Amino acid sequence: MRVLVTGGAGFLGSHLCDALIADGHSVVCADNLLTGRMDNLAPLANEPRFEFLHQDICVPFDPGKIDYIFDFASPASPVDYLRHGIETLQVGSVGTMNCLDLARKYHAKFLMASTSECYGDPLEHPQRESYWGHVNPVGPRSVYDEAKRFAEAATMAYHRYHHVDTRIVRIFNTYGPRLQINDGRVISNFMKQALRGEPLTVYGDGLQTRSLCYVSDEITGILALSRANDHWPTNIGNPAEFTILECAQAVLKVSGSTSTVKFEPLPQDDPKQRCPDITKARTLLGWEPKIELLAGLRLSLEYFRSAVESQAVRAQK
Ligand code: NAD
Ligand code: UDP
């Protein structure tokens, strides 16, 4: 297939490009590098089946005939989407609809990268796909949450009205190599702080929970969903749930750091608990994650060590 990956220079998008190339496909990556980096695509620099388009997907574009679209373009970390609030709303709405128009034009299949943030600060636990969520539509996180909820609505509408063959993946917190060191997400912050010997910044009392999925498990699940014949949202994430304090302890253990923990204020509307119910993915796709948290952190350590070192070298120049 000739596959379009929007946001392909980002964390998840670049791993997806690697996996699609390894599966024998041709890949066109469209990215405006708002939060992504060309470094993430370095392994594909000399790959003849790979093409990079420096493209804002909010502007209509046409990469030629394509068979599948993975729509992954969007700032994703709270720090990034709060910094780029309007761009986040635009890419989830105008950008996604431009991609849906391309899918319609070329009769391409379409997979939209949605998020556990669609459940907001959930009142149902763990979160099943049937739960409609508890989102503050005017709070600071709404630029992301509502953009993604709109993108899901647009995806379903193109399926219903224009018969586009669509899929929706609700991705839960994912980590691993290529997470941007400065994106403010919990694992990037904790790894960076632990490796620098600085205190780990735990927001609130640290008893809020997250369920963290290692990137290779997430990509395997997304690709399995891309091959399935189901148009409704599917959770892909790791159901092992940890408090943020437990995540801090895990990072300290894996890094061998003697950093302390420092408590800072909890951001507004920070979800108190988050855990995917993956019954649907297990039954529909036969998928479940294999890599538990300590193992995933060990697999990520070398990447974070070299990212912290390069940042220190850049700071000295
Ligand atoms: P990321 O910031 O690393 O990657 C996003 C990519 O999209 C970047 O390369 C960025 O430059 C690009 N982009 C943003 N706006 C664009 C535009 N208008 N046109 C073209 N490119 C644009 O983030 P990520 O973690 O890789 O997330 C990828 C997708 O997965 C996002 O849609 C995100 O909402 C979703 N997601 C990720 C997670 C996670 O834990 N990583 C969780 C839930 C959902
Ligand atoms: N968090 C934290 N310290 C940090 C970064 C994040 O305690 O340095 C907390 C944050 O408040 C949230 C959780 O870790 O409860 C996950 O945050 P992240 O930004 O990774 O993603 P979210 O799930 O909130 O989108």
Side-chain angles (χ1 to χ4, degrees):
M1 292 192 294
R2 186 161 186 263
V3 182
L4 171 66
V5 179
T6 76
F11 164 56
L12 285 179
S14 62
H15 285 285
L16 192 57
C17 289
D18 287 346
L20 289 164
I21 290 286
D23 280 350
H25 304 295
S26 295
V27 173
V28 183
C29 159
D31 200 299
N32 66 352
L33 302 178
L34 181 67
T35 57
R37 292 176 303 135
M38 287 309 282
D39 281 358
N40 291 338
L41 298 171
L44 300 175
N46 296 318
E47 170 55 59
R49 283 181 286 114
F50 180 75
E51 197 183 326
F52 177 75
L53 288 183
H54 192 179
Q55 176 71 48
D56 180 349
I57 66 157
C58 297
V59 178
F61 69 110
D62 192 337
K65 170 86 179 117
I66 35 173
D67 305 296
Y68 214 120
I69 301 176
F70 290 81
D71 187 20
F72 275 62
S74 171
S77 84
V79 165
D80 285 341
Y81 63 67
L82 294 177
R83 185 181 298 144
H84 303 293
I86 303 296
E87 291 89 338
T88 303
L89 283 164
Q90 280 172 334
V91 76
S93 53
V94 179
T96 294
M97 289 184 79
N98 282 339
C99 293
L100 283 161
D101 282 333
L102 279 177
R104 188 179 176 207
K105 174 174 177 182
Y106 289 118
H107 304 288
K109 294 182 181 180
F110 182 91
L111 184 145
M112 183 240 149
S114 188
T115 167
S116 50
E117 281 285 318
C118 287
Y119 302 119
D121 189 4
L123 303 178
E124 191 177 285
H125 195 74
Q127 291 82 55
R128 272 177 304 176
E129 291 87 350
S130 54
Y131 178 48
W132 290 354
H134 181 233
V135 171
N136 176 353
V138 291
R141 294 173 89 102
S142 63
V143 291
Y144 183 66
D145 301 5
E146 297 296 10
K148 288 291 181 180
R149 287 164 69 101
F150 177 89
E152 285 198 4
T155 302
M156 286 309 295
Y158 272 65
H159 174 64
R160 289 198 180 96
Y161 293 93
H162 295 316
H163 313 292
V164 177
D165 191 357
T166 57
R167 281 135 195 85
I168 297 173
V169 56
R170 288 196 183 139
I171 301 168
F172 281 64
N173 299 60
T174 303
Y175 69 99
R178 299 186 189 162
L179 260 185
Q180 285 178 76
I181 194 87
N182 290 328
D183 69 7
R185 287 189 253 210
V186 64
I187 296 301
S188 4
N189 271 5
F190 285 178
M191 278 287 199
K192 180 171 67 179
Q193 292 158 344
L195 292 168
R196 286 180 179 165
E198 295 168 356
L200 273 54
T201 50
V202 169
Y203 302 156
D205 57 12
L207 298 181
Q208 71 273 32
T209 67
R210 290 295 184 274
S211 306
L212 296 157
C213 190
Y214 187 68
V215 62
S216 60
D217 279 334
E218 188 67 45
I219 296 293
T220 310
I222 290 168
L223 288 174
L225 180 64
S226 75
R227 294 185 289 264
N229 190 22
D230 183 279
H231 308 292
W232 297 96
T234 303
N235 293 337
I236 298 285
N238 191 323
E241 184 181 2
F242 297 91
T243 66
I244 293 306
L245 270 175
E246 288 169 332
C247 294
Q249 294 307 329
V251 168
L252 290 175
K253 184 171 180 181
V254 164
S255 60
S257 167
T258 53
S259 287
T260 53
V261 160
K262 151 172 120 178
F263 291 91
E264 292 193 352
L266 189 69
Q268 189 187 331
D269 296 338
D270 196 284
K272 285 181 268 312
Q273 51 181 7
R274 184 182 287 156
C275 178
D277 181 324
I278 59 162
T279 308
K280 181 178 175 191
R282 279 197 177 107
T283 47
L284 176 74
L285 312 173
W287 173 89
E288 61 182 2
K290 295 192 169 55
I291 298 178
E292 54 95 43
L293 182 61
L294 286 177
L297 291 175
R298 282 193 193 99
L299 289 168
S300 312
L301 188 61
E302 260 333 289
Y303 161 75
F304 281 108
R305 207 185 287 285
S306 85
V308 165
E309 278 164 14
S310 330
Q311 201 173 44
V313 170
R314 276 199 303 275
Q316 275 168 4
K317 281 185 183 163

